[in-house]
């Protein structure tokens, strides 16, 4: 709305172009957030299946991810051993 008020006051001819650009940015942001949520959900789901965890290896230390207490989820939703 801030963009709208600035465009409307200065040059209303550019309002459709400004709104279109704003919607494109909003759509890209929502898409990225949705993909991030899907990744987080998948990571959480993988933690609930201990059998699949035993088959996965930590990408840092290369040991199996079989001890939930030793794992940590980073803000980016990647899962590694705490130590």
């Amino acid at each position: 709305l801030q963009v709208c008020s600035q465009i409307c006051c200065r040059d209303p001819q550019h309002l459709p172009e400004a709104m279109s650009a704003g919607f494109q940015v909003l759509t890209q942001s929502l898409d990225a957030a949705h993909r991030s949520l899907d990744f987080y959900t998948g990571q959480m789901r993988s933690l609930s299946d201990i059998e699949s965890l035993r088959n996965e290896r930590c990408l840092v230390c290369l040991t199996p991810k079989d001890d939930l207490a030793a794992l940590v989820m980073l803000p980016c939703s990647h899962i590694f051993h705490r130590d």
Side-chain angles (χ1 to χ4, degrees), residues 1-12 15 18:
L1 292 176
Q2 183 180 9
V3 170
C4 180
S5 66
Q6 291 174 0
I7 295 293
C8 289
C9 293
R10 287 192 217 154
D11 193 359
L15 181 60

Side-chain angles (χ1 to χ4, degrees), residues 5 19 30 33-34 49 52-54 57 59 63-64 71 73:
S5 66
M19 292 300 290
L30 289 172
H34 186 263
D49 184 4
S52 72
L53 277 179
R54 288 188 177 123
R57 296 199 173 273
L59 295 175
T63 59
L71 299 176
M73 182 181 286

